[in-house]
Amino acid sequence: GVKFYFNTEVVSIGSNNGKLYEVIDQNGKKWAADIFISNADAASFRGQILGRKKFSEEKLDKMHWTLAPFTIYLGVKGKVKNLEHHNYFLGNNFKGYADTIFTSSIAPQKPYYYVNVLSKSDNTCAPEGCENIFILCPVPDLRYKKDWSDKEDLAKTIIDDLSKRTDFDLSSNTIVKKVLAPDDWANMLNLYKGSGLGLAHDIDQVGAFRPKNKDEHFSNLYYVGASTTPGTGLPMVVISSRLVTERIINDSTLP
Ligand SMILES: Cc1cc2nc3c(=O)[nH]c(=O)nc-3n(C[C@H](O)[C@H](O)[C@H](O)COP(=O)(O)OP(=O)(O)OC[C@H]3O[C@@H](n4cnc5c(N)ncnc54)[C@H](O)[C@@H]3O)c2cc1C
């Protein structure tokens, strides 16, 4: 069986003779094992926890990271007729927007965003006569915009825009609301600078060029997840777990 320990962050390690013998959590508790698999970001873990120069903050910042998500979760009273399950709200200059939005130091003034209304397809997701609405807006990550104390302003801009486009007053019908900016995502999941999907799939960051799922120095340390092979996104990270399992079995001396 598997036992989960929540709220336990690995902050350092103990090693000896090319092997890891323990990881140490934020309370100083030591966790020993024969084999370790890190599901933390495979690039930033190497830099921040293992202190590898190749993955220093300066080097990590130069890598290509996927979008930082700005997300809004709404529970709304009433049915929003002008929304489908999947909805995109884009302006008329997609290329110009996409070229500048990720490296801007300010939040988008006229945001392009995606809206998912799960209650359109599954009525168990919201009380009768209500909707649950998820809004995702790609924004600059923490390399470019560090301070997100203005997140409620961007949330208001998006909610007002969506209200206008759907002809439904979302603000006054909102029962629950949660807004998560890139710094929230970074803190919650240790996502490097708030990058939602980890390392991007640029040609120099895939295959043999991607951080490997077996550590370069510690023979009993493996990696799984978005920033190791094969890549990011849910289908890929599931494949990643299969690949690392196969790798450990192949490395194993057990019969
Ligand atoms: C808002 C958003 C929307 C997305 N939408 C989609 C989508 O529609 N389709 C899709 O395919 N993908 C989507 N993704 C991406 C997808 O969720 C990720 O690629 C995938 O979850 C990554 O899985 P993972 O196991 O690598 O990392 P995670 O799911 O982030 O799991 C890593 C775990 O390790 C923990 N951890 C990190 N560091 C440490 C540490 N030092 N010590 C202990 N624990 C640690 C974290 O807390 C976390 O629980 C989305 C991501 C976001 C943020």
Side-chain angles (χ1 to χ4, degrees):
V2 173
K3 190 162 181 185
F4 291 93
Y5 294 88
F6 295 102
N7 302 314
T8 307
E9 181 179 359
V10 172
V11 294
S12 64
I13 54 138
S15 67
N16 193 4
N17 282 337
K19 280 206 162 193
L20 212 59
Y21 60 85
E22 65 187 12
V23 291
I24 303 165
D25 72 23
Q26 78 276 25
N27 299 316
K29 184 168 176 188
K30 297 173 174 178
W31 303 78
D34 297 325
I35 293 174
F36 296 84
I37 306 172
S38 170
N39 188 203
D41 184 277
S44 64
F45 185 88
R46 281 169 161 98
Q48 292 167 348
I49 308 294
L50 304 181
R52 303 271 163 78
K53 289 204 177 87
K54 198 178 158 199
F55 296 93
S56 65
E57 185 173 5
E58 198 190 343
K59 297 244 166 80
L60 289 173
D61 279 355
K62 285 189 183 139
M63 293 174 147
H64 295 123
W65 294 89
T66 51
L67 66 91
F70 184 92
T71 51
I72 307 170
Y73 300 81
L74 296 177
V76 167
K77 192 171 59 181
K79 286 292 189 192
V80 188
K81 290 201 178 63
N82 295 329
L83 283 177
E84 307 291 335
H85 182 138
H86 295 286
N87 313 264
Y88 289 92
F89 293 98
L90 311 173
N92 52 13
N93 180 17
F94 187 78
K95 188 169 183 324
Y97 183 84
D99 283 348
T100 53
I101 187 60
F102 298 114
T103 52
S104 168
S105 59
I106 54 166
Q109 306 302 299
K110 289 192 176 159
Y112 294 13
Y113 53 93
Y114 163 74
V115 179
N116 183 297
V117 191
L118 198 53
S119 46
K120 292 286 182 201
S121 307
D122 181 349
N123 59 16
T124 63
C125 291
E128 208 182 326
C130 299
E131 307 273 34
N132 74 339
I133 299 179
F134 165 74
I135 303 170
L136 171 66
C137 178
V139 292
D141 66 38
L142 301 176
R143 286 175 299 175
Y144 302 101
K145 178 168 161 47
K146 292 180 176 48
D147 180 7
W148 282 93
S149 55
D150 58 352
K151 70 178 179 182
E152 288 300 333
D153 297 341
L154 178 57
K156 184 176 179 324
T157 303
I158 294 173
I159 291 168
D160 288 351
D161 185 64
L162 185 58
S163 295
K164 245 186 252 154
R165 288 173 185 259
T166 56
D167 196 22
F168 183 97
D169 183 354
L170 290 163
S171 299
S172 50
N173 288 296
T174 293
I175 303 168
V176 285
K177 180 176 96 171
K178 191 171 177 74
V179 178
L180 297 175
D183 55 344
D184 298 312
W185 283 103
N187 293 335
M188 270 190 324
L189 296 173
N190 229 351
L191 298 180
Y192 188 69
K193 306 252 164 138
S195 160
L197 293 90
L199 280 181
H201 288 173
D202 294 63
I203 191 74
D204 57 346
Q205 294 190 166
V206 289
F209 303 117
R210 206 164 180 81
K212 300 192 176 6
N213 66 2
K214 180 166 182 177
D215 193 64
E216 295 76 13
H217 301 285
F218 300 128
S219 58
N220 61 339
L221 171 60
Y222 298 84
Y223 299 89
V224 67
S227 288
T228 184
T229 48
T232 183
L234 289 177
M236 298 289 243
V237 300
V238 172
I239 295 171
S240 169
S241 71
R242 181 165 58 78
L243 293 181
V244 78
T245 307
E246 286 171 3
R247 184 145 204 178
I248 292 168
I249 291 169
N250 284 341
D251 284 355
S252 167
T253 50
L254 294 172

